[in-house]
Amino acid sequence: QSVLTQPPSVSGAPGQRVTISCTGSSSNIGAGYDVYWFQQLPGTAPKLLIYGNSNRPSGVPDRFSGSKSGTSASLAISGLQAEDEADYYCQSYDSSLSGSYVFGTGTSVTVL
Amino acid sequence: QVHLQESGPGLVKASETLSLTCAVSGGSISTYSWSWIRQPPGKGLEWIGYIYWSGSINYNPSLKSRVTISKDTSKNHCSLKLSSVTAADTAVYYCARHFQYDSGVIDGFDPWGQGTLVIVSS
């Protein structure tokens, strides 16, 4: 059972902006641990999208942005495109679980 | 560029041990840390455990009693063993390299292998 909660799904029309929340607690995101975001296209392995809360690896479009505040983090996708239709997962670390890496519950993004 | 390839039996009988290998090419397994992560069909990601570059190992508490992760530097691969499997262990199993950056507090995962589906049969 994941300790990071995400909405099951979000949707938007092409060109719109959508946001995905990742809600944790004082033992993970709230403890100051970094948040990472991954994009998983259908039938493929997850791909690193955001690291260190808000940084994009080279090659990731600047339409993707991340932020963190308190015990939560968010991923925003602006200028939504059909190719953004995928599952998105946040990831952090939890000190209350003998030091475990933890993933969010995952969010499916649909482009209308 | 580092490439990871998981391999192992795609079908394991219930109560037996699942054994997978992650072959690393394009880089040395000794230089980085590695994790195993799994994803049951249609469900989310679950971290299984890691082996650090130093040899330090840690497991998900929910799986700790059944998991063993190791590495073989001569073969440049790491391995996962999960004992006493049940249908709940049916999943795509991924290996991933730990991603670190200068001011990072914790690691992320990049790149990932393509994953291998393991089905536990009764």
Side-chain angles (χ1 to χ4, degrees):
Chain A
Q1 189 156 347
S2 178
V3 298
L4 303 179
T5 302
Q6 300 178 230
S9 64
V10 299
S11 62
Q16 285 190 329
R17 181 176 187 270
V18 297
T19 61
I20 301 169
S21 60
C22 174
T23 303
S25 67
S26 59
S27 63
N28 43 68
I29 297 175
Y33 296 119
D34 296 330
V35 176
Y36 292 76
W37 289 92
F38 300 89
Q39 177 193 58
Q40 186 176 32
L41 297 169
T44 69
K47 167 194 165 187
L48 180 64
L49 201 62
I50 297 287
Y51 67 91
N53 309 316
S54 59
N55 302 291
R56 287 184 306 277
S58 60
V60 173
D62 59 7
R63 302 185 290 104
F64 295 92
S65 62
S67 63
K68 172 187 159 182
S69 178
T71 58
S72 297
S74 292
L75 174 72
I77 310 174
S78 57
L80 196 63
Q81 298 183 5
E83 65 206 54
D84 299 332
E85 192 159 285
D87 292 331
Y88 294 81
Y89 293 90
C90 59
Q91 174 248 313
S92 189
Y93 182 90
D94 195 291
S95 59
S96 72
L97 301 173
S98 301
S100 292
Y101 287 94
V102 290
F103 287 95
T105 48
T107 299
S108 177
V109 170
T110 300
V111 181
L112 300 173
Chain B
Q1 188 170 359
V2 172
H3 179 75
L4 287 64
Q5 180 68 59
E6 305 89 346
S7 62
L11 192 63
V12 180
K13 292 183 179 179
S15 79
E16 295 189 344
T17 296
L18 175 162
S19 295
L20 297 175
T21 296
C22 175
V24 177
S25 58
S28 171
I29 197 165
S30 302
T31 309
Y32 293 94
S33 302
W34 310 87
S35 270
W36 286 92
I37 297 155
R38 70 180 183 179
Q39 184 173 35
K43 296 188 178 182
L45 300 167
E46 179 181 34
W47 174 75
I48 298 171
Y50 67 63
I51 182 164
Y52 272 179
W53 61 271
S54 62
S56 174
I57 295 172
N58 194 23
Y59 303 129
N60 186 320
S62 69
L63 299 169
K64 189 172 185 176
S65 63
R66 300 193 291 129
V67 175
T68 302
I69 293 176
S70 61
K71 64 179 177 179
D72 186 329
T73 54
S74 66
K75 296 181 180 179
N76 215 42
H77 74 211
C78 63
S79 299
L80 168 71
K81 292 186 186 298
L82 182 65
S83 64
S84 304
V85 297
T86 70
D89 295 310
T90 293
V92 174
Y93 286 77
Y94 297 100
C95 62
R97 187 183 70 178
H98 282 218
F99 173 92
Q100 299 175 321
Y101 67 102
D102 286 348
S103 57
V105 177
I106 60 155
D107 299 344
F109 307 106
D110 181 68
W112 297 55
Q114 66 182 31
T116 186
L117 174 63
V118 178
I119 297 173
V120 177
S121 66
S122 54

